[in-house]
Amino acid sequence: MTKGSANLVTGASGFVGAAVVRKLLDAGEAVRVLMRPGSDRRNIDGLDVEIVEGDLLAPETLGPAVKGCRALYHVAADYRIWTRDPAAMFRANVERIVYTSSVAVLGIPSGGVGDEDTPVAYGDMIGPYKQSKFRAEERIRELTAKEGWPVVIVNPSTPIGPRDVKPTPTGRIVVDAANGKMPVYVDTGLNVAHVDDVAEGHLLAFAKGRIGERYVLGGENMGLSDILGVIAELTGGRPPLFRVPTGLIMPIAHVSEAWCRMTGGAEPMVAPDSVRMAKKKMFFRWDKAARELGYAPRPARDALADAVAWFRANGYIA
């Protein structure tokens, strides 16, 4: 640790949070991380960071974590498409200075590409994850406008890359496709960004972002069929040949969710909310971040290649 006061990172055990920690360390910054007792720390093992135990839901633990820090990267979030207890997600995400939001809260014009200014309302949010992130960003904007909080908001798109230990829902798509477990696909699309570019975008937002503004940290817009095709090329497998309408998958999703509730499973094989989300292509532009921050993501294929290589090296891919 070399540069003065520490940078506090919440969510450092997670996929994006750990990447932000590594970018800060690479820049020679001192890093402090807020971790819940007993949390999975594989993503920060061996890193030169100061660990402070605490919990965002226990405000009395936050004072010691923040004391002496010059910057807060609030990356912590509950990134699940489905949850048994939606209220718990709201408690984690709706609270209170680079703040990590998501493109999930942005509008998407019909058949088009969304950005920071595309009109959207709470009623457009599908499921507790999107709803909670929308409310959280509303609260952040309110605190910034009324109380002068010095917050810059970043909206990552779909981070993909190494060290996705859980893995995230998108990481599971990569793993399942690489293992030949996706024989069919739906007509949807994602904006694919390398997780390390998203992390770099956080540092750029701290250095150059305008207070009260938000910036999409995205990458390349790709149809799901194209994503699966690249994964097949990288693994020597076969891409899925058949496209299935979302209307045929929804009944399966409802049965899967009901079975999960009955059996006490962690999450359903297919969640109804994920099927609803798939009806729109999650395509976004990141011109504002490029123009104001100097954000310059690499091609999506590089992100997918790094993800496949890491998953394979760590036993996720047969």
Side-chain angles (χ1 to χ4, degrees), residues 208-220:
K208 303 178 182 180
R210 290 184 287 141
I211 299 301
E213 293 293 321
R214 63 181 177 186
Y215 299 90
V216 172
L217 302 181
E220 186 176 343

Side-chain angles (χ1 to χ4, degrees), residues 29-297:
E29 297 282 355
V31 178
R32 180 183 299 166
V33 299
L34 178 70
M35 305 285 287
R36 292 193 304 271
S39 60
D40 185 344
R41 302 184 181 185
R42 285 177 291 171
N43 258 341
I44 61 167
D45 279 350
L47 299 183
D48 183 19
V49 299
E50 176 190 359
I51 299 175
V52 176
E53 290 195 343
D55 194 319
L56 293 174
L57 303 183
E60 68 276 6
T61 68
L62 303 181
V66 177
K67 186 176 181 181
C69 290
R70 75 184 187 95
L72 166 61
Y73 292 86
H74 183 34
V75 193
D78 195 338
Y79 180 23
R80 289 173 290 176
I81 299 301
W82 184 87
T83 176
R84 188 178 302 281
D85 180 10
M89 184 175 287
F90 277 84
R91 289 194 298 271
N93 288 341
V94 184
E95 51 84 39
R96 74 159 188 107
I97 331 192
V98 172
Y99 175 75
T100 307
S101 184
S102 169
V103 293
V105 307
L106 303 181
I108 308 172
S110 179
V113 180
D115 62 18
E116 295 87 350
D117 299 318
T118 304
V120 70
Y122 181 78
D124 298 318
M125 300 295 105
I126 298 173
Y129 173 71
K130 286 192 173 189
Q131 292 165 352
S132 66
K133 296 297 284 186
F134 189 92
R135 290 299 191 213
E137 192 172 306
E138 276 188 331
R139 178 59 175 155
I140 289 293
R141 288 178 171 278
E142 179 184 335
L143 291 170
T144 302
K146 294 183 178 180
E147 300 185 22
W149 280 34
V151 181
V152 178
I153 299 171
V154 293
N155 301 80
S157 58
T158 307
I160 292 178
R163 297 179 295 277
D164 190 357
V165 296
K166 277 192 174 181
T168 60
T170 311
R172 282 201 298 273
I173 292 176
V174 176
V175 171
D176 288 346
N179 283 322
K181 295 182 179 180
M182 292 191 67
V184 297
Y185 68 95
V186 295
D187 183 21
T188 191
L190 300 169
N191 181 280
V192 177
H194 197 293
V195 67
D196 291 339
D197 293 336
V198 171
E200 177 68 21
H202 281 68
L203 275 64
L204 291 170
F206 177 79
K208 303 178 182 180
R210 290 184 287 141
I211 299 301
E213 293 293 321
R214 63 181 177 186
Y215 299 90
V216 172
L217 302 181
E220 186 176 343
N221 292 317
M222 298 181 71
L224 179 58
S225 61
D226 297 324
I227 293 171
L228 299 177
V230 171
I231 294 171
E233 290 177 22
L234 293 169
T235 59
R238 292 183 178 179
L241 299 177
F242 302 105
R243 186 178 73 187
V244 179
T246 55
L248 292 181
I249 297 179
M250 185 58 82
I252 299 172
H254 284 301
V255 171
S256 179
E257 182 181 50
W259 178 255
C260 183
R261 292 186 184 280
M262 290 171 55
T263 61
E267 59 185 292
M269 178 182 66
V270 182
D273 281 346
S274 66
V275 180
R276 295 185 185 102
M277 291 179 197
K279 293 179 180 180
K280 275 193 174 183
K281 291 182 171 66
M282 298 288 287
F283 287 171
F284 298 93
R285 61 175 61 89
W286 39 270
D287 307 51
K288 182 178 177 180
R291 184 173 63 251
E292 297 189 15
L293 307 181
Y295 178 70

